[in-house]
């Protein structure tokens, strides 16, 4: 049946292309991830058309015999030093059109592109015990990282307990926060703190490292703003001016009820003082005050990241699904 499938590389993404892509994503997520809200059409269009930081994208649309979209593949090719060996894949097929060879055709195009771009590592995420996981296992991907996804329901929050944590004194530290781009006076300190993410658990993923500086943190915030999303940050600053840690929340464009946890990190020299819990409790308090339409926060942690899982459980996060990160070691052309 795959002879009736046509693959189209997408270069200049049209509104019709974005609509077709969204239809495949929404159908796939409804089948494989019930209860997980799919991105809206505007989010999909922004993701496909707005430049990403230190990377570029390739995209393919699979069309069936009747001309309707049945599958999509997006490939993010990282370009910064330390990650220019890496590509990240999104591959989805409409559940009604599976087992016709669409996924295999898309993956073949992706692997060929990885070879042409000299990428040795291709990573993809799939829900645990899903068709995507089975697809990866049958095609020489190896499981490299297990993730636990958690939800915090803000309408079921023990607000008194969270407020107590958020208002606890931490001698030598103060909280600050901002929306969007970091203030100039904190940019260098924030970049230094960002580098603490390089020791987060990544299992066996060949994920490389990121070297953050003030220009890069500003550029990342601009990428998010250009997509129409909102980035909130709360940070802990030491009396000596160093940024000891931070936590970030992303609010998708529109009036999304579910916020996404981005980074949370504490610089190694400042660990052991309860700053991670303090920061996250302060962010919850901020969300409740500034964005009452947000009713839940989703986060994910490596299953062996016992410290951050303990922090999240203490705040009231509860596990609700699991995913797996798979890696394909791409052979040289």
């Amino acid at each position: 049946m795959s002879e009736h499938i046509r693959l189209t590389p997408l270069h200049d993404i049209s509104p019709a292309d974005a609509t077709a892509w969204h239809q495949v994503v929404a159908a796939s997520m409804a089948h494989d991830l019930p209860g997980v809200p799919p991105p809206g059409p505007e989010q999909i269009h922004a993701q496909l058309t707005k430049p990403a930081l230190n990377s570029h994208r390739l995209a393919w649309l699979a069309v069936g015999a009747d001309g309707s979209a049945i599958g999509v593949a997006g490939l993010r090719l990282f370009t910064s030093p330390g990650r220019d060996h890496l590509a990240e894949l999104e591959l989805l097929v409409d559940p009604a059109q599976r087992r016709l060879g669409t996924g295999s055709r898309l993956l073949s195009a992706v692997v060929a592109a990885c070879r042409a771009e000299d990428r040795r590592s291709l990573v993809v995420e799939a829900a645990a015990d899903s068709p995507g996981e089975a697809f990866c296992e049958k095609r020489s991907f190896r499981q490299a990282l297990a993730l636990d996804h958690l939800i915090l329901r803000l309408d079921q929050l023990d607000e008194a307990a969270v407020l107590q944590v958020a208002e606890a004194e931490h001698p030598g530290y103060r909280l600050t926060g901002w929306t969007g781009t970091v203030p100039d006076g904190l940019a260098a300190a924030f970049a230094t703190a960002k580098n603490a993410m390089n020791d987060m658990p990544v299992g066996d993923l060949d994920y490389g490292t990121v070297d953050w500086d003030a220009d890069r943190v500003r550029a990342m915030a601009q990428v998010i703003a250009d997509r129409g999303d909102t980035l909130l940050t709360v940070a802990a600053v030491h009396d000596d001016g160093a940024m000891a840690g931070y936590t970030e929340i992303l609010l998708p464009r529109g009036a999304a009820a579910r916020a996404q946890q981005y980074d949370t990190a504490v610089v190694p020299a400042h660990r052991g003082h309860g700053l991670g819990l303090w920061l996250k409790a302060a962010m919850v308090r901020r969300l409740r005050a500034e964005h009452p339409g947000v009713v839940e926060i989703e986060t994910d942690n490596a299953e062996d990241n016992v410290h951050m899982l303990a922090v999240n459980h203490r705040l009231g996060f509860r596990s609700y699904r699991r995913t797996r990160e798979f890696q394909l070691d791409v052979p040289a052309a």
Side-chain angles (χ1 to χ4, degrees), residues 68-124:
S68 61
I70 60 175
V72 298
L75 187 65
R76 184 179 181 187
L77 299 160
F78 294 88
T79 57
S80 59
R83 302 188 86 188
D84 51 5
H85 65 285
L86 179 66
E88 195 171 63
L89 172 63
E90 175 190 24
L91 194 158
L92 298 168
V93 176
D94 187 312
Q97 302 293 333
R98 291 176 181 170
R99 301 186 181 279
L100 301 176
T102 305
S104 296
R105 288 275 305 277
L106 286 166
L107 182 60
S108 293
V110 165
V111 171
C114 286
R115 287 178 175 147
E117 295 278 350
D118 196 26
R119 306 299 160 136
R120 69 171 185 264
S121 300
L122 175 64
V123 299
V124 64

Side-chain angles (χ1 to χ4, degrees), residues 129-143:
D129 305 316
S130 72
E133 182 179 67
F135 178 89
C136 290
E137 290 173 342
K138 290 178 181 177
R139 289 162 178 83
S140 301
F141 284 81
R142 57 181 174 81
Q143 183 180 312

